[in-house]
Amino acid sequence: MSKAVWLMVLALGSALAQVQYATWDGTRQKVDERLLKAFSEATGIQAVYNLVPWGTYWQKASAMVAGGTTFDVMWMNLDNFPFYASQKALSPIPLSQEARGLLPKGALDLYTVRGQVLGLPLGPQVVTVYINRKLFQERGVPIPKDTWTFEEMREAAKKLTFTRPDGKKVWGINAMDLQIDSEYGMAFYYSNGGTGILKRVGDRYEANLDEAFRDAAKRLLDLIYVDKVSPGPQESTLQGYQLFQAGQMGIYVLGSWMTEVWKTSPELDWAFAPLPVMKRGLEPVGVYSVHALVVPAASRNKEGAYRLAEWYTTSAQANRMVAGAGLMSTLADRYRSTYLQALPGRNGEAVFRQLPRMVVRHADVRNLSNLPEVLDALYSAMNLAWTGNLPLDKAIEKARTDMNALLRNSKPLW
């Protein structure tokens, strides 16, 4: 064998020994890179970080279906999981009994098909309310710690919306990010008594855009177009998180992963606030996303991939590192104190008080064959209302009509 051929064989063997890890979430890149380094040191298996922007991530993921070259461990979300599972593009993950006992059963069940575990759940990505305490104090607004109502939040947003002497506009809240069909908007919908936007009728499904849906949507829309406490579609060149970072927004609602973003603005005096109570007699019911690590069937290093996925989600070292960075680890409750110590004085307990009442949106219908298309129809219609191009009731009626037309052809994938 020539030296050149021998070097090629060595290079191929080295590449096969690596585990190629891919994610779309750049907000936690530093944490992920530290985790992969720790995994490599603990196991001797080299793990390589790959950040793929959301816009192209699912194009790359199509290789899972085509059976071509792909990454070894990939992030997956629940909206896309049924398609890849139904196409047999995911490899069953052989879990140890210890790992199976550690992982949260409800989240694990969402990625289990016919008894086969096809994804290991990552930490709950919780819909979270953040506040700028400096602005609250400046405007004389009481800082919510344990509870507040939607009306109290709305009144706070009014007081937090003003123009500074230098002409810089400060906004109350980021309602443009709270489109009712998004996970962030749906936190208000479920808290308003909502039970799910699809309902089963006999052997089929129908859109369930009821009064709880309409009422929550109207109250969120009013923040933009009636109360004018949130920038509308053309009123700011900055996104909501950028306005909050810059001290130009008092209340910001998005995901628990934003703590990594706030770290880049040490002058920002932020804290967690509770989800608001929507109606008397109802408790806030938040939403969390369950992302998971999957191993594509086309992975060239499945054994290394299985070890990385299990270590990343169940090992004490990985969970401690994630929680210590101020992010929700897979075993969130077990590492609560580590998380709170990483974010001292931020009212982090507000996040944990939400967890017992959290729901995963669309969890009960995740295996409908055309669920992504149904959700796209809902988004398209509601976006017309959020951008001011269609009255809310007409947008809801359009959504209902378009969704039901698609649901007539829905069937379970398993």
Side-chain angles (χ1 to χ4, degrees):
M1 183 183 293
S2 70
K3 182 178 180 180
V5 173
W6 178 245
L7 290 173
M8 287 177 63
V9 170
L10 286 177
L12 178 60
S14 176
L16 289 174
Q18 295 177 344
V19 176
Q20 296 289 335
Y21 168 97
T23 177
W24 64 75
D25 187 0
T27 64
R28 53 183 285 163
Q29 180 171 352
K30 292 180 180 178
V31 178
D32 273 342
E33 289 176 337
R34 291 199 300 269
L35 283 163
L36 297 185
K37 183 174 184 291
F39 169 76
S40 296
E41 292 172 349
T43 64
I45 301 170
Q46 184 181 3
V48 180
Y49 177 82
N50 295 273
L51 176 63
V52 184
W54 177 265
T56 56
Y57 186 88
W58 299 108
Q59 296 173 17
K60 296 278 187 181
S62 65
M64 287 194 289
V65 177
T69 303
T70 184
F71 301 107
D72 298 300
V73 176
M74 298 183 70
W75 272 44
M76 177 59 63
N77 68 1
L78 199 56
D79 289 346
N80 288 286
F81 168 72
F83 170 73
Y84 291 102
S86 69
Q87 296 298 307
K88 302 187 184 306
L90 306 178
S91 179
I93 300 174
L95 271 182
S96 68
Q97 286 301 312
E98 180 184 6
R100 190 180 291 270
L102 284 172
L103 289 167
K105 185 179 184 305
L108 187 63
D109 286 348
L110 293 171
Y111 286 95
T112 300
V113 177
R114 298 192 180 100
Q116 292 186 322
V117 175
L118 300 181
L120 303 188
L122 293 164
Q125 309 294 312
V126 184
V127 173
T128 305
V129 181
Y130 301 94
I131 60 170
N132 181 320
R133 288 186 293 203
K134 183 178 178 181
L135 280 177
F136 268 67
Q137 292 164 352
E138 178 184 336
R139 304 295 289 175
V141 180
I143 293 177
K145 184 177 181 181
D146 299 321
T147 186
W148 60 342
T149 67
F150 185 89
E151 285 307 306
E152 287 171 330
M153 187 185 78
R154 176 172 167 262
E155 290 303 316
K158 289 181 180 179
K159 293 178 182 177
L160 293 164
T161 302
F162 65 102
T163 301
R164 294 196 180 279
D166 62 2
K168 190 173 291 185
K169 185 68 178 280
V170 178
W171 296 96
I173 192 170
N174 62 318
M176 279 302 296
D177 296 314
L178 307 181
Q179 186 166 311
I180 190 64
D181 61 293
S182 72
E183 58 193 298
Y184 319 113
M186 289 198 78
F188 296 89
Y189 159 69
Y190 284 112
S191 295
N192 204 38
T195 57
I197 60 170
L198 300 180
K199 63 180 178 181
R200 186 161 188 161
V201 180
D203 60 352
R204 59 188 176 84
Y205 287 88
E206 290 182 355
N208 185 39
L209 309 183
D210 57 8
E211 184 56 30
F213 181 89
R214 182 192 179 281
D215 179 64
K218 183 179 187 307
R219 290 208 257 177
L220 293 171
L221 263 181
D222 282 353
L223 295 173
I224 305 170
Y225 295 107
V226 176
D227 302 318
K228 301 187 184 302
V229 297
S230 169
Q234 309 300 328
E235 290 185 283
S236 177
T237 58
L238 298 177
Q239 296 183 51
Y241 81 92
Q242 294 171 318
L243 289 168
F244 188 79
Q245 260 188 306
Q248 290 180 251
M249 183 169 283
I251 303 166
Y252 183 74
V253 184
L254 210 73
S256 54
W257 60 87
M258 294 302 294
T259 55
E260 280 294 283
V261 179
W262 308 150
K263 288 178 185 176
T264 63
S265 300
E267 72 286 353
L268 179 64
D269 183 16
W270 67 271
F272 297 104
L275 280 170
V277 174
M278 296 294 288
K279 289 181 180 177
R280 185 188 300 274
L282 294 179
E283 294 285 342
V285 179
V287 170
Y288 70 93
S289 300
V290 181
H291 298 150
L293 296 182
V294 298
V295 176
S299 165
R300 299 174 70 182
N301 187 359
K302 287 190 176 66
E303 292 307 314
Y306 297 150
R307 289 188 67 182
L308 174 57
E310 182 170 320
W311 179 90
Y312 196 109
T313 54
T314 67
S315 75
Q317 184 180 11
N319 276 271
R320 193 175 295 114
M321 290 175 69
V322 173
L327 296 169
M328 299 295 283
S329 67
T330 301
L331 310 181
D333 275 324
R334 181 171 294 204
Y335 292 90
R336 175 190 299 226
S337 61
T338 306
Y339 178 88
L340 296 176
Q341 289 167 12
L343 300 169
R346 305 286 189 187
N347 192 27
E349 283 289 358
V351 180
F352 285 92
R353 282 194 295 270
Q354 295 174 189
L355 288 182
R357 293 189 300 274
M358 284 282 174
V359 299
V360 177
R361 63 189 183 122
H362 320 316
D364 58 332
V365 294
R366 76 190 196 286
N367 69 333
L368 285 183
S369 57
N370 60 352
L371 181 62
E373 291 83 358
V374 173
L375 297 179
D376 281 346
L378 175 62
Y379 166 78
S380 297
M382 298 316 301
N383 194 51
L384 293 173
W386 246 254
T387 54
N389 291 305
L390 199 65
L392 176 62
D393 286 338
K394 289 188 176 181
I396 291 175
E397 188 53 40
K398 174 175 171 54
R400 183 180 291 112
T401 299
D402 294 347
M403 291 167 70
N404 284 337
L406 291 165
L407 287 166
R408 282 196 289 271
N409 300 315
S410 294
K411 57 184 180 180
L413 291 170
W414 61 80

